[in-house]
Amino acid sequence: MAMTLDEYRRQEGVTVSDLADAIGVTGPHRIRTVYRYLSQERTPALPVIRRIAEFTKGKVTFEDFLPTRAKRPTKEVAHV
Protein backbone atom coordinates (compact mmCIF):
# COMPACT_ATOMS: atom_id res chain seq x y z
CA MET A 1 0.00 0.00 0.00
CA ALA A 2 1.31 3.43 -0.93
CA MET A 3 1.96 5.94 1.79
CA THR A 4 3.24 9.46 2.13
CA LEU A 5 6.72 10.16 3.37
CA ASP A 6 5.32 11.58 6.61
CA GLU A 7 3.16 8.50 7.16
CA TYR A 8 6.24 6.33 6.71
CA ARG A 9 8.34 8.51 9.03
CA ARG A 10 5.77 8.42 11.82
CA GLN A 11 5.11 4.69 11.42
CA GLU A 12 8.81 3.85 11.58
CA GLY A 13 9.69 6.41 14.27
CA VAL A 14 12.27 8.20 12.12
CA THR A 15 13.23 11.72 13.19
CA VAL A 16 13.30 14.51 10.63
CA SER A 17 17.03 14.91 11.18
CA ASP A 18 17.66 11.19 10.61
CA LEU A 19 15.48 11.28 7.51
CA ALA A 20 17.43 14.24 6.14
CA ASP A 21 20.68 12.33 6.68
CA ALA A 22 19.31 9.15 5.11
CA ILE A 23 18.08 10.83 1.93
CA GLY A 24 21.08 13.12 1.54
CA VAL A 25 19.47 16.50 2.25
CA THR A 26 22.21 18.86 3.40
CA GLY A 27 22.72 22.53 4.05
CA PRO A 28 21.63 25.07 6.62
CA HIS A 29 17.91 24.63 5.85
CA ARG A 30 17.88 20.84 5.55
CA ILE A 31 15.31 20.31 8.31
CA ARG A 32 12.97 22.92 6.82
CA THR A 33 13.40 21.31 3.39
CA VAL A 34 12.44 17.89 4.73
CA TYR A 35 9.41 19.36 6.55
CA ARG A 36 8.31 20.79 3.20
CA TYR A 37 8.61 17.33 1.64
CA LEU A 38 6.63 15.86 4.54
CA SER A 39 3.83 18.42 4.25
CA GLN A 40 3.85 18.05 0.45
CA GLU A 41 4.55 21.76 0.11
CA ARG A 42 7.63 20.91 -1.96
CA THR A 43 8.38 18.01 -4.29
CA PRO A 44 11.85 16.51 -3.99
CA ALA A 45 14.12 16.33 -7.04
CA LEU A 46 14.16 12.96 -8.79
CA PRO A 47 17.51 11.86 -7.27
CA VAL A 48 16.10 12.56 -3.79
CA ILE A 49 12.91 10.64 -4.62
CA ARG A 50 15.09 7.70 -5.64
CA ARG A 51 16.92 7.85 -2.30
CA ILE A 52 13.56 8.07 -0.48
CA ALA A 53 12.34 4.95 -2.28
CA GLU A 54 15.56 3.12 -1.39
CA PHE A 55 15.45 4.25 2.26
CA THR A 56 11.80 3.27 2.66
CA LYS A 57 12.35 -0.04 0.83
CA GLY A 58 9.75 0.95 -1.76
CA LYS A 59 7.00 1.96 0.68
CA VAL A 60 7.24 5.55 -0.59
CA THR A 61 7.78 5.86 -4.34
CA PHE A 62 7.79 8.39 -7.15
CA GLU A 63 4.03 7.96 -7.56
CA ASP A 64 3.49 9.14 -3.99
CA PHE A 65 4.78 12.57 -5.02
CA LEU A 66 2.53 12.96 -8.07
CA PRO A 67 0.00 15.84 -7.92
CA THR A 68 -3.02 13.54 -7.60
CA ARG A 69 -1.51 12.00 -4.47
CA ALA A 70 -0.37 15.36 -3.09
CA LYS A 71 -3.78 17.00 -3.53
CA ARG A 72 -5.48 14.81 -0.98
CA PRO A 73 -6.10 16.55 2.35
CA THR A 74 -2.90 16.69 4.34
CA LYS A 75 -2.65 16.19 8.04
CA GLU A 76 -0.50 18.38 10.21
CA VAL A 77 3.04 17.06 10.12
CA ALA A 78 3.96 15.36 13.37
CA HIS A 79 7.13 16.80 14.92
CA VAL A 80 9.48 14.22 16.43
Side-chain angles (χ1 to χ4, degrees):
M1 180 172 109
M3 62 177 26
T4 67
L5 183 57
D6 191 49
E7 289 167 341
Y8 175 85
R9 185 188 69 80
R10 287 184 285 126
Q11 178 179 309
E12 299 297 324
V14 178
T15 67
V16 175
S17 180
D18 289 343
L19 179 59
D21 291 342
I23 63 174
V25 177
T26 60
H29 303 292
R30 70 191 194 97
I31 300 300
R32 185 177 355 180
T33 298
V34 172
Y35 272 119
R36 288 180 176 159
Y37 296 160
L38 295 171
S39 67
Q40 300 175 337
E41 179 183 332
R42 181 174 177 183
T43 301
L46 188 55
V48 177
I49 292 174
R50 285 184 183 133
R51 289 192 296 267
I52 289 169
E54 290 172 7
F55 175 71
T56 64
K57 296 178 179 68
K59 292 182 181 176
V60 180
T61 65
F62 174 78
E63 290 84 12
D64 298 307
F65 291 98
L66 294 175
T68 55
R69 176 84 168 141
K71 286 183 183 177
R72 69 176 219 198
T74 58
K75 301 174 192 168
E76 185 173 319
V77 173
H79 297 270
V80 175

